[in-house]
Every structure is written in structure tokens, then in C-alpha cells.
Amino acid sequence: MNPTRRAFFKIGAGGVISSILGFDLKPAYAQSAGLKISRTTETRSTCPYWSVSCGVIIHTLGDKAKNVTPQVVHVEGDPDHPINRGTLCPKGSSLHQDILNERRLTKPQVRRPGSDHWEDISWDQAIDEIGRLVKKTRDDTFVEKDAQGRTVNRCEGIAWNGGCTDTNEFNYLVVKTMRSLGVCYLENQARV
Ligand code: SF4
């Protein structure tokens, strides 16, 4: 047998190999596919990459005992989700590698002015520094009246850009907070 590339994908690698070797591998493939998620907990979530917001199911292994660290073992499209109906693009299909990635950032980092590297800081330190810099920037750039003498009360030195994983509730708080500071440059992903 000399399968073409098209036939290879059409039959599937398992089908071609079993045809070449003369026995049927389908039961073994079916069993291994089932085993992968047979003992997992399913969590429905949303792909974080952008505003299509495809639904995903995250499969986590672990019996929820306190001394067990749950482990994500598989992510797939949610067949019941009205947006993607089980499909995922290549980026969404790689979510498993995004979650289990040793290069994933799990703590705040800062690059100081003039520095050529990022340094880890604690969450408390990050919140403290952000609060202090927001106040300083607002104090330095707040505009009470425009060139025609009209009251505008706006902060022109801060901008907010939201990501696609921001929920409606989060963005509601963002808008309230930023508007209360007088921030005009406010942008979110397409869904809000
Ligand atoms: S699966 Fe792909 S298309 Fe869907 S939200 Fe994620 S990145 Fe966007």
C-alpha cells in the first residue's frame, strides 16, 4: 500500500498503519481516547485568546482531596456551546499547553525605568506601587478646564486597555473606577 497524503489524512494515521500491518487498531485507539478523560472533572470555561469567546471544557485529574494538586490533562471544545459547537482553532486547541507551561507567569513582575530585565515582586507590592503611581500620574496630568475654559475634569495621562478574558462584571467595575478617576482613554475587547 502506498497511501497519498490526502488518503492518509482521510483514513487517519491509525487506519493506514493498521491497513499496512494487516490488523485493526481502532479498538485500541478508541480505548486510549476514552481512558484519557475517564476519571477527570469537567470544568466549562471560555478560551482566553480573543473575543470570539469559544467555549471549552477543561478536564482535570485529581480526587479533590486537600493533599492532591489537581492536574489539567485535556482541553477540548464544548459541543454544547452556541458559539463554536465543539470546534476550536489551533490556538484554542493548544490551551492545554498554555495552562501547563513552565514559562507561564504566575506572579507580578516589574521592569524599572532604565533596567534591562524584569524582576518578581509580591502582589502586595504590586498593588501598592500601582496605587501610588496612579495617584501621582493623575495628580500630574489632571485637566480641569480645556483651552476654551470649559470644565472637563479629565485625566489625560492614564489609559486602560482590557483583555478578552475580562468579564462583563469586571469591565463594569473598570468603567466605574476609570471614569471616577476622569480617565477618557478606555478600551475593551469587542464584547463590551
Ligand atoms: S478557540 Fe480560537 S477562535 Fe475561538 S476564542 Fe480561542 S483563539 Fe479565538
Side-chain angles (χ1 to χ4, degrees), residues 30-52:
Q31 191 182 23
S32 66
L35 283 176
K36 188 175 181 184
I37 58 173
S38 62
R39 291 178 292 116
T40 58
T41 302
E42 291 185 14
T43 306
R44 291 199 143 77
S45 189
T46 306
C47 175
Y49 284 125
W50 66 307
S51 55
V52 171

Side-chain angles (χ1 to χ4, degrees), residues 40-41 58-62 68-74 96 99-100:
T40 58
T41 302
I58 301 171
H59 292 269
T60 309
L61 205 53
V68 173
T69 304
Q71 175 84 26
V72 173
V73 294
H74 183 61
H96 181 203
I99 297 167
L100 296 176

Side-chain angles (χ1 to χ4, degrees), residues 47 49-50 52-54 88-89 91-92:
C47 175
Y49 284 125
W50 66 307
V52 171
S53 307
C54 296
L88 291 177
C89 79
K91 281 203 305 182

